[in-house]
């Protein structure tokens, strides 16, 4: 058993952070002494490793807690996903380092920006979260969809596609115009009504996926015309600033 002070020194995580993780139920200690001091065993330290890996990948504490507590949580599968995400981050960093060196060595103007693109990371992270089915949003979606008939499911999907069709008709407008912002708010409301509570954070992630994921992009462009998915993505980004 290790005290909270020993765990802090071993891991580099502050005592205050460890106390906070305990308070929110993310990392409870294995036991407490009679005086109330926290003690951590190897199982708790393994859980802390998982938390730190997910935090390195910028998962929220709520998402991490939901994943770790999901009934089907598989540590090996989680590690595979973390390795894949960390590899994508490594590739992105290497591309940025290469670009910086090229600018330094060759000088002049270099208008290449692909090294800064993190859509692959965002898309994979979103899919990794969804696979666990442990988030409250996924649970809400499951509850709503299980109580609907096929006809009701179709009506919900049609309502969503109808909003994308409206976006298609507004492609000539500025993504941050009042009309487009109002339509983004409508999209957020439709998702909340039919699927799950669509917070601004979730909406921002969806906006990135709409442009990055081929299946999403094709379906949205089919509803609103070519380029609609990209327009929706930009509109959501402006709305969520």
């Amino acid at each position: 058993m290790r005290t909270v002070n020993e765990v802090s020194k071993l891991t580099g995580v502050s005592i205050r952070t460890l106390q906070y993780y305990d308070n929110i139920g993310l990392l409870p200690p294995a036991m407490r002494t009679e005086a109330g001091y926290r003690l951590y065993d190897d199982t708790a330290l393994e859980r802390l490793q998982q938390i730190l890996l997910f935090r390195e990948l910028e998962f929220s504490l709520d998402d991490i807690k939901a994943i770790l507590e999901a009934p089907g949580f598989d540590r090996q599968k989680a590690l595979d996903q973390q390795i894949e995400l960390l590899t994508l981050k490594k590739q992105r960093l290497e591309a940025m380092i290469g670009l910086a060196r090229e600018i330094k060595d060759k000088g002049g103007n270099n208008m290449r920006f692909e090294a800064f693109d993190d859509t692959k990371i965002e898309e994979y992270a979103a899919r990794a979260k969804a696979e666990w089915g442990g988030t409250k949003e996924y649970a809400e979606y499951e509850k709503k969809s299980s109580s609907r008939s096929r006809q009701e499911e179709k009506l919900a999907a049609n309502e969503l596609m109808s909003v994308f069709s409206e976006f298609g008709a507004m492609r000539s407008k500025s993504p941050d115009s009042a009309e487009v912002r109002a339509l983004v708010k409508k999209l957020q409301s439709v998702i909340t009504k039919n699927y799950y509570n669509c917070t601004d954070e979730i909406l921002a992630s969806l906006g990135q996926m709409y442009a990055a994921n081929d299946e999403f992009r094709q379906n949205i462009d089919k509803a609103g015309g070519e380029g609609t998915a990209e327009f929706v993505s930009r509109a959501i980004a402006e709305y969520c600033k």
Side-chain angles (χ1 to χ4, degrees), residues 216-231:
F216 276 123
R217 187 172 62 250
Q218 289 170 9
N219 287 335
I220 293 171
D221 283 356
K222 184 177 180 180
E226 187 175 353
T228 300
E230 291 285 349
F231 179 71

Side-chain angles (χ1 to χ4, degrees), residues 95-115:
M96 292 174 68
I97 292 169
L99 176 62
R101 284 176 174 163
E102 185 178 327
I103 294 171
K104 178 183 176 182
D105 295 341
K106 296 183 180 180
N109 294 326
N110 189 321
M111 293 295 103
R112 288 172 48 224
F113 290 91
E114 60 269 21

Side-chain angles (χ1 to χ4, degrees), residues 64-113:
I64 296 171
K65 189 171 185 291
I67 289 171
L68 294 179
E69 294 178 359
F73 178 72
D74 182 329
R75 185 167 178 266
Q76 290 303 121
K77 180 180 178 181
L79 285 169
D80 287 340
Q81 291 175 332
Q82 289 160 347
I83 290 167
E84 179 66 25
L85 275 165
L86 288 168
T87 301
L88 289 172
K89 287 191 72 172
K90 177 187 174 185
Q91 292 171 350
R92 181 170 180 263
L93 284 172
E94 288 176 343
M96 292 174 68
I97 292 169
L99 176 62
R101 284 176 174 163
E102 185 178 327
I103 294 171
K104 178 183 176 182
D105 295 341
K106 296 183 180 180
N109 294 326
N110 189 321
M111 293 295 103
R112 288 172 48 224
F113 290 91

Side-chain angles (χ1 to χ4, degrees), residues 11 20 34 48 84 90 97 111 116 126 133 150 188 227:
T11 64
Y20 179 66
E34 291 184 3
L48 179 57
E84 179 66 25
K90 177 187 174 185
I97 292 169
M111 293 295 103
F116 301 98
R150 286 188 178 181
Q188 190 175 28

Side-chain angles (χ1 to χ4, degrees), residues 37-73:
Y37 295 112
R38 297 170 174 86
L39 294 176
Y40 297 83
D41 60 7
D42 288 347
T43 300
L45 291 178
E46 286 181 4
R47 184 178 174 96
L48 179 57
Q49 283 181 331
Q50 287 290 320
I51 292 168
L52 295 178
L53 283 168
F54 279 123
R55 288 299 286 159
E56 182 65 28
L57 297 166
E58 300 178 12
F59 280 44
S60 72
L61 294 179
D62 284 343
D63 282 338
I64 296 171
K65 189 171 185 291
I67 289 171
L68 294 179
E69 294 178 359
F73 178 72

Side-chain angles (χ1 to χ4, degrees), residues 20-32:
Y20 179 66
Y21 286 174
D22 179 19
N23 291 338
I24 64 175
L26 180 60
L27 182 68
M31 60 179 295
R32 291 176 184 266

